[in-house]
Amino acid sequence: MKNLIPSHIKSLIPYKSARKISNNGKIFLNANELPFDINFKLDCLKLNRYPDFQPKKLINNYSLYSKVESSNIIVTRGIDESIELLIKTFCESKKDKVLFFPPTYDMYKVSSSILNINSISINSLSNFQLNYFKIIKKLKDVKLIFICHPNNPTGNIINIDFILKLLNSISLNTLIIIDEAYIDFCEQYSTVKYLKQYSNLVVLRTLSKAFGLAGIRCGFLLANIKIIKFLYKVIAPYPIATPVSKIAEILLNNENIQLMKRNVSQLILNKKWLLNKLKKFSYIQKVFNSDVNFILFKSNLSEELFSFFIKNGVILRDQSDKIFLKNCLRVTVGTIKECKIINNLLIDFENSKIFK
Ligand SMILES: *Cc1c(COP(=O)(O)O)cnc(C)c1O
């Protein structure tokens, strides 16, 4: 079978999904999911027919929430499908390039590699903002620029003035794609308000994080109608299963949006509590600021600490393999009970080391 596999798949480094990494934990704080159960009632569904190509009511509800017109919205199987759809639609193999800024979300690279599209990366600055002068020099053949805002795994927003400056200086033949997976935790920084002004701006949203629906795989791509038109040509014929769109539709009604906002407020309080605790340990050298529902921190004992947490049934995410993030771990902010468990384990770890 030596000749069965194309070389770009042979050399592919696949995405390490959180569920692949560890199944035997009790408390999962490695995928930035909401820690609360979301309750809803689903009436009997007719499933003998194919679903709508793009479910109208769902799009209408997301339009009301995002204040973006329905005609500028596509529903996809999570942001991950949107990323792939954009590359499939706008990039030609061996010619066009995708640009992104490590340390960041891995799927921009993984999807480009799978589709055999060249990608280039420009490392962020040490404060995790982006390097404007380097970027504008490297835009030859770049069709898609992915900006993760707020960024995963660092947890910071990207300066809006930078994003606008870049939008003002690039050609309309390059799209700027803002991945706003975590924007519901800091909605004042959303870039959707610039969609009308910039026809080459694309914003990606999801129900997987603040809305607590990672299990249904539902995301939204917001863009100018001229872009949407071409994405329609490429997207799968029935991308969203009927139960998925029904559940999403319910969770996007007024009452449930208020619930999401209360959950977000609670998690922001939990985050503040956990941030302050993390800063108290002498073996944690740095705790990064966070605009989202996870915290990145650095410890010279990160490897040992990571294993210690696993041994106690708590799964964090090791970010050590990423540029600038040696010895860094990422913890999702969970319930206050889970935050207290983290704090207690950090104390146990400290005591086992007897630094004092
Ligand atoms: C979790 C995450 C995604 C994935 O979103 P889905 O809608 O679940 O596919 C995309 N981008 C970033 C930055 C994420 O952290």
Side-chain angles (χ1 to χ4, degrees), residues 32-184:
N32 303 337
E33 297 140 328
L34 196 81
F36 312 118
D37 283 333
I38 301 294
N39 295 309
F40 60 88
K41 228 181 110 229
L42 203 54
D43 291 333
C44 203
L45 293 173
K46 266 177 70 98
L47 296 175
N48 58 317
R49 302 287 177 194
Y50 280 111
D52 277 348
F53 160 66
Q54 286 286 293
K56 273 201 189 63
K57 258 186 135 170
L58 170 57
I59 290 193
N60 194 41
N61 282 2
Y62 202 76
S63 165
L64 292 172
Y65 170 66
S66 61
K67 302 188 183 72
V68 171
E69 278 181 48
S70 297
S71 54
N72 297 106
I73 302 178
I74 291 190
V75 195
T76 60
R77 192 174 19 79
I79 286 182
D80 288 346
E81 188 188 24
S82 286
I83 294 169
E84 197 180 284
L85 181 62
L86 284 161
I87 301 171
K88 276 185 189 164
T89 306
F90 295 104
C91 295
E92 208 175 312
S93 200
K94 307 216 159 54
K95 186 163 163 269
D96 301 325
K97 290 178 184 156
V98 169
L99 171 62
F100 47 85
F101 311 104
T104 192
Y105 187 53
D106 286 327
M107 284 305 289
Y108 317 133
K109 166 87 187 172
V110 173
S111 287
S112 305
S113 303
I114 290 173
L115 297 168
N116 205 10
I117 301 298
N118 288 330
S119 59
I120 47 175
S121 60
I122 298 174
N123 294 339
S124 70
L125 300 164
S126 57
N127 63 358
F128 303 135
Q129 292 300 317
L130 306 183
N131 192 332
Y132 177 78
F133 295 101
K134 255 196 183 158
I135 292 166
I136 51 168
K137 275 189 225 144
K138 286 235 179 173
L139 291 181
K140 191 174 173 301
D141 301 325
V142 169
K143 278 278 184 72
L144 306 179
I145 304 176
F146 282 96
I147 299 178
C148 192
H149 162 78
N151 191 38
N152 176 9
T154 55
N156 60 289
I157 56 156
I158 303 300
N159 200 324
I160 298 285
D161 290 337
F162 162 85
I163 294 174
L164 293 177
K165 197 162 142 192
L166 197 58
L167 276 164
N168 284 324
S169 50
I170 65 167
S171 126
L172 290 178
N173 295 315
T174 301
L175 300 185
I176 295 199
I177 299 135
I178 311 290
D179 182 342
E180 294 194 350
Y182 298 95
I183 206 73
D184 312 288

Side-chain angles (χ1 to χ4, degrees), residues 179-191:
D179 182 342
E180 294 194 350
Y182 298 95
I183 206 73
D184 312 288
F185 294 100
C186 52
E187 58 170 357
Q188 70 272 31
Y189 298 115
S190 175
T191 57

